[in-house]
Amino acid sequence: MRNGSNLVVNSGTWLQRLWWKIRDLYHQLKPCRFSIVVAIIGLFVFTSVAQGIEVLRTVGEGLAGGSQWYELRVVFFFVALMLWAVCSWYACRVLLYFDFQKAPSSGARSKWAEANVPRLLGVAPIVILALGFWTASRRHAPQDKTQYWLLGFAGLCVLLAILFYVLLAYRREIFRLGPIETVKHVDQLSRGTKAGVAVVGFISVSLFIAFTIAPVAVAQKIGMGTILLLAASSWVVLGSFLVFLSARWQFPVISSLVILAIIFSLWNDNHRIRTVPARPVQRDSVIAAFEKWHTLVQKFPGPHPLYIVATEGGGIRAAYWTGVVLGGLQDANPNFANHLFAISGVSGGSLGAVVFDALVAENDGRSYQENAHEILSRDFLSPALAVMLYPDLVQRFLPVPIAYFDRARALELGWEKAWRDRMANDRFSRSFVDLWPADSQKWVPALFLNGTSVEKGNRIMTSNLRVTDSFFDVEDAAVKLSPDARATQADCHIPLSTAAHMSARFTYVSPAGRFPDGTYIVDGGYFENSGATAALEIVTRINELCAFKHITDVDPKVIMISNNPRRPPIAPAKAGPEKSGPTLTQPETVHGYLLGEVMSPVKAMLNARDARGTFAQKAIAHQQRRFKAADIAPPSKDQPESLSRDIFYFSLEDQDVPLPLGWMLSDAAAKSIRGQWNFDGVVVRNKTAAEEINRTLPPPAP
């Protein structure tokens, strides 16, 4: 029982007394909730989320794009870590100074908790990072020196945690400080406390301005790890300040802000799809494009292989692997692009496809694979999350949309900068339609970038060709972007980077994009993640046309690019054997029965998108008129061409490190992916597939 003065009386059962103590402790520590919540989020991100662990891995080994590695980034990282630790401790310590109206009385307060909980919350960020570095190190081979760096950083964090705790515990004796006193007003706080809050506030405002004006340059120099730690510091200080206002004013400040954000969301969406000035165009259908392609390849001896690529989603892993595969095929035989009719991409696969197409249009004489590596190995996560955690977060509480606060724009600007740094031009920021000049006699593969409609759940396709009835239940992004234009004249007058992003808007790093009519597009992986559905529709239409017009010198073939190391290979009728070896990469398919009744619908939706992709891949295998089993030998001098394969698979397997799904690759992950281009394993047969494709192509000109 409790009397009116809020004192605990020694009555009641032991269970009641225990509950009263827990309740008093909860009310006593409630002002520290932002320090606690941010620490819990940090623990989850840095020890359980693959991309969070990848961020820590880059601290030990540098980014895959070596030019972005700065020695000072490690220093900035640990300075930001200590800032988070200090803010977590100090915010809790200061809030416990205050004598709020509804706080437990002094008799109900736990003196131990009052002294030690702030210290534990201060040490928590450092311990969390120690666990994160240790987790990251477990994915490296013992002989890899990166493992020693990561373990060294884990040990450094443990040492810092011990020293910091000792400093906090004995700071009054060391610095000869006076006793702690409870305060009732802000002006009673010490000058040091006010200065500390002002410094963190200044850092937060400065980062907000910097990430708004130059999100790519500033974020990539600071680094993703440092940005996350600085954001944690800002959240702790700002959140604790709002807690103080709520308690002091006896008004729900935080709840009011949440309600305002919900109301403002009705009209403050700032994620409108970026556009460029429109110009007159005339888009072909798939059939008209095929006829143009057929005319152009007549300069080569027949029969003419016609390749269609389906590349699945998977963030930067998919983009990088797609660039490596297509770039490697083009390097091996410059006639590959001339025989590549179309690429159907989803999410990161679409980014890789767009980069390859742009490289074909550019043709600067350098290695396609090396160019793709230099462009796609950059840190694209830092700009997106920097804007997400600062300007775009503020946007949620503003009644007016501000385009510069859009994190989607920051991600696209990162892609544009990566292209510009490597290729020394602005092609990625120019119009999507510029890849296919009307008067050009050069073949650039058609692009079919698959997104998903939020309102209808069907596909929205971004393509340089008209989306006709050859595609089932598909909306044409060009028509949605140009609602007043005729279907033959409508086109995607958007930056090339935006075109890639139309298919790669997987929440929450990438927000849903808003069309002029107010409808939204999200990642194509919500519908199906393989890109095989569009590839099936294209190859079916071409096969039907060839049969109808008796075109016998065209041999349609399909290349499927998979990047999920945990997915078994696709066979015509049933799934292939399970991949052997380590399983370092987290599976996309959700398993388990925790809260099964609640989670079953969610698991079904997540697994259905993979099932639709598998279905489309198997349907292609069934549809291809001359599909042979994967173990049939490639054509040779003694083997007729009619026995050549019609479907080629490129896939990844777990080797040294897990392969993340986000928008940043560590050096080890990039090397692991690139090393599998010229690799044949027990199940993965990338080298063999590349050699077989090369044999079907005309030899390069001497």
Side-chain angles (χ1 to χ4, degrees):
M1 301 289 293
R2 295 167 62 93
N3 59 21
S5 61
N6 205 35
L7 295 176
V8 177
V9 181
N10 292 326
S11 61
T13 66
W14 68 269
L15 186 60
Q16 288 176 311
R17 291 195 298 271
L18 177 62
W19 168 245
W20 293 334
K21 289 182 179 180
I22 294 174
R23 183 175 58 184
D24 288 339
L25 184 63
Y26 166 77
H27 286 293
Q28 180 183 355
L29 299 180
K30 189 177 179 181
C32 305
R33 56 186 177 271
F34 267 87
S35 295
I36 297 172
V37 169
V38 173
I40 293 173
I41 294 174
L43 177 64
F44 174 72
V45 168
F46 289 117
T47 62
S48 301
V49 178
Q51 189 65 74
I53 297 172
E54 188 79 353
V55 168
L56 297 183
R57 186 175 291 113
T58 62
V59 178
E61 65 186 17
L63 296 177
S67 61
Q68 288 184 287
W69 172 246
Y70 302 90
E71 293 182 359
L72 285 178
R73 289 178 70 166
V74 175
V75 177
F76 290 156
F77 179 87
F78 281 98
V79 169
L81 172 60
M82 295 310 300
L83 179 63
W84 178 18
V86 170
C87 290
S88 185
W89 161 71
Y90 210 51
C92 183
R93 177 69 269 170
V94 169
L95 287 173
L96 292 180
Y97 284 165
F98 284 95
D99 183 17
F100 296 118
Q101 289 186 15
K102 294 185 178 181
S105 63
S106 58
R109 291 174 179 264
S110 168
K111 298 300 182 182
W112 183 93
E114 191 172 73
N116 290 281
V117 168
R119 298 169 187 170
L120 294 175
L121 287 175
V123 172
I126 312 175
V127 174
I128 289 169
L129 268 294
L131 290 173
F133 279 121
W134 177 76
T135 302
S137 71
R138 295 171 59 199
R139 306 300 189 181
H140 287 264
Q143 66 273 16
D144 189 347
K145 65 179 182 180
T146 302
Q147 183 185 49
Y148 297 105
W149 277 105
L150 294 172
L151 288 174
F153 286 143
L156 176 61
C157 287
V158 172
L159 178 61
L160 288 174
I162 295 173
L163 294 176
F164 190 55
Y165 187 86
V166 171
L167 176 64
L168 295 180
Y170 295 98
R171 70 188 188 283
R172 297 198 170 276
E173 290 81 355
I174 295 174
F175 299 106
R176 298 181 180 180
L177 301 176
I180 300 175
E181 295 182 359
T182 302
V183 298
K184 293 182 177 294
H185 302 286
V186 175
D187 54 10
Q188 293 179 293
L189 292 173
S190 67
R191 185 177 301 175
T193 298
K194 296 176 182 178
V197 173
V199 168
V200 175
F202 175 77
I203 293 174
S204 300
V205 173
S206 299
L207 290 174
F208 173 87
I209 296 173
F211 292 152
T212 302
I213 297 175
V216 179
V218 175
Q220 288 183 342
K221 287 181 180 179
I222 294 176
M224 189 63 255
T226 304
I227 292 171
L228 287 174
L229 300 181
L230 290 175
S233 305
S234 300
W235 286 357
V236 167
V237 173
L238 177 61
S240 298
F241 178 69
L242 295 177
V243 169
F244 163 77
L245 292 181
S246 299
R248 177 56 56 198
W249 295 347
Q250 292 296 293
F251 180 81
V253 175
I254 298 175
S255 299
S256 299
L257 288 174
V258 172
I259 293 173
L260 282 177
I262 294 173
I263 295 174
F264 290 160
S265 68
L266 294 173
W267 61 79
N268 75 342
D269 180 75
N270 63 327
H271 305 308
R272 183 163 183 164
I273 297 168
R274 294 197 301 155
T275 58
V276 295
R279 59 179 177 81
V281 294
Q282 190 74 24
R283 285 203 303 168
D284 291 330
S285 65
V286 172
I287 298 304
F290 168 76
E291 291 172 347
K292 286 185 178 180
W293 173 86
H294 193 212
T295 301
L296 290 174
V297 296
Q298 293 305 311
K299 61 184 178 182
F300 301 106
H304 308 293
L306 178 147
Y307 280 99
I308 298 168
V309 170
T311 176
E312 71 179 13
I316 192 61
R317 181 179 74 196
Y320 188 82
W321 179 230
T322 300
V324 166
V325 170
L326 298 181
L329 292 172
Q330 182 67 13
D331 287 340
N333 192 324
N335 289 322
F336 171 68
N338 293 320
H339 293 80
L340 176 55
F341 178 73
I343 307 174
S344 170
V346 176
S347 193
S350 291
L351 175 60
V354 169
V355 167
F356 176 75
D357 252 34
L359 290 174
V360 171
E362 199 71 24
N363 192 21
D364 69 344
R366 292 182 289 183
S367 164
Y368 281 76
Q369 193 177 83
E370 186 63 29
N371 280 339
H373 162 74
E374 291 295 333
I375 294 168
L376 293 170
S377 62
R378 301 302 182 94
D379 173 13
F380 302 125
L381 184 62
S382 292
L385 280 190
V387 176
M388 175 183 175
L389 297 174
Y390 284 90
D392 214 357
L393 181 62
V394 173
Q395 172 68 81
R396 302 310 109 209
F397 303 96
L398 300 179
V400 180
I402 301 176
Y404 274 85
F405 291 0
D406 183 9
R407 61 186 183 273
R409 170 180 172 270
L411 183 59
E412 293 168 13
L413 292 179
W415 296 341
E416 293 171 10
K417 182 178 183 297
W419 174 274
R420 186 167 54 250
D421 289 346
R422 177 63 177 177
M423 306 304 294
N425 62 54
D426 291 322
R427 180 179 288 278
F428 237 67
S429 60
R430 300 205 303 264
S431 178
F432 174 69
V433 302
D434 287 350
L435 278 182
W436 300 271
D439 56 349
S440 176
Q441 293 300 307
K442 179 180 180 179
W443 179 256
V444 176
L447 289 175
F448 295 87
L449 312 177
N450 299 274
T452 304
S453 168
V454 172
E455 290 74 22
K456 298 180 180 180
N458 60 350
R459 287 175 294 160
I460 299 178
M461 195 172 289
T462 303
S463 178
N464 59 299
L465 302 182
R466 292 205 316 273
V467 179
T468 62
D469 54 5
S470 297
F471 302 91
F472 302 123
D473 193 28
V474 179
E475 294 184 82
D476 191 342
V479 174
K480 294 181 71 65
L481 289 166
S482 308
D484 298 328
R486 296 173 55 187
T488 56
Q489 297 176 340
D491 212 327
C492 299
H493 299 289
I494 54 180
L496 189 56
S497 60
T498 303
H501 202 192
M502 294 279 278
S503 175
R505 291 177 173 269
F506 199 89
T507 51
Y508 287 95
V509 174
S510 297
R514 181 165 58 90
F515 285 105
D517 63 359
T519 58
Y520 290 85
I521 183 173
V522 290
D523 193 281
Y526 284 104
F527 183 87
E528 70 96 355
N529 199 45
S530 72
T533 299
L536 171 62
E537 292 163 335
I538 297 168
V539 75
T540 299
R541 189 70 183 95
I542 291 176
N543 277 332
E544 291 173 347
L545 179 69
C546 290
F548 178 75
K549 291 193 172 184
H550 304 289
I551 299 174
T552 59
D553 63 343
V554 174
D555 185 13
K557 298 177 182 293
V558 178
I559 297 173
M560 295 186 185
I561 303 177
S562 172
N563 64 83
N564 183 1
R566 299 292 296 275
R567 179 177 298 162
I570 302 298
K574 61 181 180 179
E578 291 288 340
K579 294 184 179 181
S580 58
T583 55
L584 304 176
T585 304
Q586 292 183 349
E588 295 177 26
T589 303
V590 180
H591 298 284
Y593 295 95
L594 179 65
L595 298 176
E597 187 171 341
V598 176
M599 295 303 298
S600 290
V602 177
K603 289 188 289 185
M605 287 188 291
L606 291 174
N607 294 338
R609 69 172 192 147
D610 289 334
R612 282 192 291 268
T614 302
F615 176 85
Q617 290 174 321
K618 292 181 179 181
I620 292 178
H622 179 74
Q623 191 276 344
Q624 282 293 75
R625 64 190 185 283
R626 293 187 295 108
F627 177 82
K628 304 295 181 182
D631 58 352
I632 289 182
S636 64
K637 294 181 179 179
D638 301 322
Q639 188 177 21
E641 177 67 19
S642 61
L643 292 182
S644 66
R645 284 203 289 151
D646 291 316
I647 297 184
F648 302 89
Y649 298 98
F650 290 89
S651 56
L652 295 172
E653 66 177 29
D654 275 313
Q655 290 187 343
D656 303 320
V657 294
L659 306 178
L661 281 172
W663 289 115
M664 181 180 67
L665 283 176
S666 66
D667 183 59
K671 286 180 179 177
S672 177
I673 293 174
R674 201 173 183 186
Q676 296 188 51
W677 152 247
N678 197 30
F679 170 76
D680 278 348
V682 176
V683 177
V684 174
R685 309 290 292 175
N686 298 328
K687 180 180 179 181
T688 299
E691 291 173 349
E692 292 180 2
I693 291 172
N694 192 29
R695 277 193 287 266
T696 67
L697 298 170

